[in-house]
Amino acid sequence: MRSTSPRVNRLALAALAACLFVVVTAEYVVVGLLPELSGDLRVSVPTAGLLVTGYALAATVGGPVVTALTLRAPRKGALLGLLGVFTAGNLVAASAGGFGLLMAARVLTALTHSTFFAITVVTAAAMAPEERRGRAVAFVSTGLNLATVLGAPLGTWIGNAHGWRAAFWALGSVSALAFAAVALLVPAIRPDAAPRLRDGLAALRVRRAVVLLAVTLVVETGFFVVYTYIAPILGGVAGFGEGSVTVLLVVFGGGALVGNIIGGRLADRRPRSALRVLIGALAAALAVFAVTSHWAATAAVTVFALGVVAFALVPVLQTQAVAAAPDAPTLAVSAYTSVFNLAIASGSWLGGRVLGSGGLGLTALAPIGALVVLAGLGLTAQTVFTGRGRVRPGRNGDAEPARQAL
């Protein structure tokens, strides 16, 4: 049953946000620890970088599979089970004696990523009144933003100060606390009837769902062409020192928090127009960044704007993922999360290819990213969104969109 106490719901949403915080921190924390991992495990830096690539690919491929296996499980039980596996994976990583075991532990934790994200979003939506579902999803998504702003830098600091293993011990400890918070605060929301995998897969094959996933892949790929290399751009083009680049990444995170709030409200009001406007704004911001990145003051302002626009898209895309497949919301959000991880890998790869081409450099990344995002905007014209994107309890106790014309 859904709790009727606003305080209980806020605490439950905070617990879910904390879970996303630790899960997303675990994905990104390795980036700052690659030199130390390379030296301690006696592998090259590119080899150590496979710990990032392997995680993203495992989350991409394994997410829908794990979601299918847990589709008939009660939401809260699935969350606790995934948190248990995630905690164990980080503890194994902390005690790994070699690169192979560390990679296996990373893959194990990555397998929980997409499904955990999906169940968290669907649970948050199911706990909120219909008119506030987008804001509930946005509130929970602040865990993702805080992981980018605070979690990954803090984990890197712990790893650099006390050894990379300390970062994984900390992740395991925080995830254990998150397990306790979910157990105590999140209400049990059991579907009235267990959804069938066949029906869920059929729901994902509808045109709106397929196009939305394609839009997500293309738009986020364009963004990560630039964001993956934002530090080298700020240092090599804008001329910021190492300490200033760190501050600017925090500025970007501040913009992301603001954007998340804005996106949550837009997802509740006009999701269809918001989706297209925000994608267009992201393309414009990247194009502007191609110019403003040459001067420190204008680069700093544009970095904040990029954070606002890029993360305003997150709750809009998430609620539209649920709206596009109302009979399979958990599978829909899991597929969205897997595609998002694929976009991270694709954007990083494309940006690397641009930089390795010889004739192009850091200044070419923003224009290319803007063009890729514009291609995603074009894809939105290939479908008609018939729902408003607000989600409500469906016949299976999941979340489904209110079917109102825009």
Side-chain angles (χ1 to χ4, degrees):
M1 292 181 59
R2 183 180 303 146
S3 172
T4 57
S5 168
R7 179 172 176 78
V8 170
N9 280 338
R10 284 196 294 269
L11 289 174
L13 291 175
L16 294 176
C19 292
L20 284 189
F21 171 82
V22 68
V23 169
V24 176
T25 296
E27 180 175 17
Y28 294 138
V29 71
V30 171
V31 173
L33 300 176
L34 289 183
E36 185 170 347
L37 283 163
S38 172
D40 188 59
L41 298 176
R42 299 180 181 179
V43 297
S44 67
V45 171
T47 299
L50 292 175
L51 294 169
V52 178
T53 305
Y55 188 105
L57 291 177
T60 298
V61 177
V65 175
V66 175
T67 301
L69 293 175
T70 58
L71 194 61
R72 302 172 72 87
R75 296 284 174 260
K76 183 172 181 178
L79 283 174
L80 292 174
L82 292 168
L83 269 175
V85 173
F86 177 83
T87 302
N90 281 292
L91 295 180
V92 170
S95 57
F99 180 81
L101 183 56
L102 179 57
M103 175 62 84
R106 290 284 290 170
V107 169
L108 178 64
T109 55
L111 291 176
T112 69
H113 186 105
S114 296
T115 306
F116 187 85
F117 203 105
I119 296 177
T120 299
V121 169
V122 172
T123 301
M127 288 193 301
E130 179 183 341
E131 69 278 4
R132 298 183 66 88
R133 297 259 157 80
R135 275 166 279 189
V137 171
F139 182 87
V140 170
S141 294
T142 57
L144 184 155
N145 305 138
L146 290 174
T148 306
V149 179
L150 299 176
L154 180 59
T156 299
W157 177 82
I158 292 173
N160 289 332
H162 305 288
W164 63 267
R165 297 179 189 278
F168 285 103
W169 285 119
L171 283 169
S173 300
V174 175
S175 59
L177 292 175
F179 182 98
V182 170
L184 292 173
L185 300 173
V186 175
I189 302 176
R190 180 185 293 274
D192 297 327
R196 295 186 300 175
L197 176 60
R198 182 178 62 185
D199 295 337
L201 294 176
L204 286 178
R205 288 198 297 268
V206 300
R207 185 181 180 189
R208 285 196 298 143
V210 172
V211 172
L212 181 68
L213 293 177
V215 168
T216 301
L217 176 60
V218 175
V219 169
E220 297 300 343
T221 292
F223 172 67
F224 279 98
V225 165
V226 178
Y227 181 69
T228 302
Y229 302 97
I230 190 86
I233 292 172
L234 292 173
V237 179
F240 286 102
E242 183 176 334
S244 298
V245 169
T246 301
V247 172
L248 282 175
L249 292 178
V250 175
V251 169
F252 175 89
L257 289 173
V258 172
N260 191 63
I261 295 171
I262 294 172
R265 294 183 179 276
L266 291 175
D268 281 333
R269 294 175 181 174
R270 299 190 63 84
R272 174 178 142 184
S273 56
L275 181 65
R276 291 170 176 167
V277 168
L278 288 173
I279 292 174
L282 179 58
L286 290 172
V288 169
F289 187 57
V291 178
T292 60
S293 61
H294 292 273
W295 299 278
T298 54
V301 173
T302 314
V303 163
F304 180 83
L306 279 172
V308 172
V309 178
F311 279 84
L313 264 173
V314 172
V316 175
L317 284 169
Q318 287 171 353
T319 52
Q320 281 294 313
V322 175
D327 294 326
T330 306
L331 275 174
V333 181
S334 176
Y336 160 81
T337 308
S338 292
V339 167
F340 194 96
N341 275 278
L342 181 59
I344 294 174
S346 300
S348 301
W349 175 83
L350 179 56
R353 294 286 291 180
V354 170
L355 294 179
S357 65
L360 300 174
L362 290 168
T363 56
L365 293 177
I368 290 174
L371 289 174
V372 176
V373 172
L374 280 177
L377 179 61
L379 282 175
T380 63
Q382 301 303 310
T383 190
V384 177
F385 292 89
T386 58
R388 292 194 61 172
R390 295 180 181 176
V391 285
R392 67 186 178 200
R395 61 179 180 273
N396 291 328
D398 281 331
E400 67 177 22
R403 298 184 181 275
Q404 300 174 12
L406 279 170

